[in-house]
Amino acid sequence: MSATMVDVADRIALPEALTELEDVRPGSPFMRPVELVAAALVALIIGVLLLGVTSRYVFSLPVIWIDEVASISFLWLAMLGAAIAIDRNEHLRLTLFVGMMPERLRGFANTFALLVVAAFLLAMVWPAIDYAIEESFVTSAALNIPNSWRVSAIATGIVLMTLLALRHAWRTATLRDFILASALVIAIGIAFWLLTPTFKGLGYGNILIFLLGVVALCLVAGVPIAFCFGMGTLCFLMFSTSVPMIVMVGRMDEGMSSIILLSVPIFVLLGCVLDATGMGKAIVDFLASMLGHVRAGMSYVLLGSLFLVSGISGSKVSDMATVAPALFPEMKRRGYQPKELIALLSTGAAMADTVPPSIVLIVLGSVAGVSIAGLFNSGFAIAMVLLLALAILARWKARHEDMTGVRRVSLAVIGKTALIAGPALVLPFIIRGAVGGGIATATEVSTIAVLYALVIGMILYGGISPRKFYAMFVETAALSGAILMILGTALAMAWALTQTGFARDLATFMAGLPGGWITFMAVTIVVFMILGCVLEGLPAIVLMAPLMFPIAKNLGINDVHYSMVVVTAMNIGLMTPPIGIGFYIACKIGNVSPDEAMGAIWPYLIALLAGLVIIALVPGISTWVL
């Protein structure tokens, strides 16, 4: 796993990332105009939203066209960002199985993965164009322009991604691998087409073949996760149903266009600002001055830093990359084993994912119809339970810690670090208070938070050059595009599942399980831990939330309580070896071999699991703040 993964893969709650395509490269020169447009769209969205916030809260004068401008810009940003992510090989995929292959077979698998991406995109070109034509007859309410201005982004992005995928496949593969991989993709397509009459009579068997089998094959081959879902859904609809492909484009549009998701690129940018200005390091230094002198104090500092820094960046990788370099040298001096540091770092990052702002919570609120204010309020309480579980274990583990030469720092030093960290410490509470208190939406708060972080960060923590600004905007576009592409294809797959009647039958089966809601909670924990290992956060949530949340509601489970169980179980899975990719990211950040760290993480995972069981069995922990 390359260092580039640390920089770009999970600058969000995502997640949310799996792992990178191999041979990560800077963007191609001919993509510079696209990057420039994408960066301008990020700036435009932030500017328009700030205008809306100012006009509404300062002048009490709502501007009715702002949402439409933001919506148009957002979909174009998503599709151009997804193209930039293809160009830079920053789409997220599972490389565990590809990495086990011999070198020669690995090259073939990479070529096959790119050609699967290209095949999916080629199949979607004409439906996307038809969709834009259909939407030209719909006129927007405020701007009075055809909706095709917005949805043309889908066709444009698909065409651009197709060309880029084919270009990368041709340039990186040997001629033999390219021919063989192309022949295999074509052969599979022809076989499915010939078997279409058979597939149409299989009923739920098609779910196993396409929505499980094809998706699993693509995952093992290293196809980016967004296109695994896309190809599985495309094959399911094309070869086993009579649903036109234009419907799939519409579902993808729906998955990427929710107004709530506007906060995703802004919180991604907020994580970039956090890294660039050093605001996170200021928080770490303050906590170290307060707690560094006590036994297990540095463990408390690490956990507390992840808790607070997550409240600014909403990102696991950004959190880990900020905290680890600042604390690991001193912790090693005190006798901590590197494997113990990785265990504490990775499980601490899993704990912090419920701390707002969390893009996982925002996406969950969007797809499951759960109050984001309620999720933000509850997330703090849930994270505190998990923090306590990890802190108790860390204290026991540190009973032999070498405290030689450790001294309490002076009040003057504590005061100085507190003064420096104060503006950064305020930010997560501003975000949580504004959203949780119903003062502003997550999108509005994210915009204010970016402005606050930029101003305070540049004044107190160090300036950001124009070149760095531009790089941050392009990075925000690429990562947002990768995330939103996953959401679009995952929602299309979830829709396909519900249309089969599978969701109805699953609900009937779950309702009939002995033990009522407790059994359902146990099943939920197992399901989302497994999905967290394999699919990571966002796709797992978008895929399963439409199926599981209605069942939970029928069983009388509070939606916020259920959300906390889902997110926590998913994050434990994300950090569980040997598949959980978050664990490997932590190992890369800490420069520790996964084989060495694997044995040390289990007690910490058990502590998290114990906390999760308490959260699941005691709904009041999640709901008392509501």
Side-chain angles (χ1 to χ4, degrees), residues 460-523:
L460 297 182
Y461 301 103
I464 304 176
S465 67
R467 184 185 182 91
K468 180 64 176 177
F469 255 123
Y470 175 75
M472 283 167 30
F473 281 2
V474 174
E475 182 178 328
T476 297
L479 188 51
S480 299
I483 295 167
L484 293 165
M485 196 69 190
I486 288 174
L487 298 185
T489 55
L491 187 66
M493 184 172 174
W495 175 84
L497 271 172
T498 59
Q499 296 307 300
T500 64
F502 175 76
R504 180 190 64 249
D505 292 344
L506 178 65
T508 302
F509 171 75
M510 289 290 189
L513 288 175
W517 73 272
I518 293 179
T519 302
F520 178 70
M521 277 294 195
V523 172

Side-chain angles (χ1 to χ4, degrees), residues 18-21 86 91-98 101 108-120 185 214-232 486 534-535:
L18 295 179
T19 178
E20 82 283 12
L21 289 172
I86 286 224
H91 273 282
L92 314 176
R93 70 168 183 165
L94 183 67
T95 57
L96 177 68
F97 300 104
V98 174
M101 297 176 184
F108 172 80
N110 287 329
T111 305
F112 176 75
L114 284 167
L115 290 177
V116 167
V117 171
F120 166 72
V185 171
V214 171
V215 171
L217 174 64
C218 291
L219 277 172
V220 170
V223 177
I225 185 66
F227 303 100
C228 292
F229 287 158
M231 182 57 81
I486 288 174
V534 179
L535 294 182

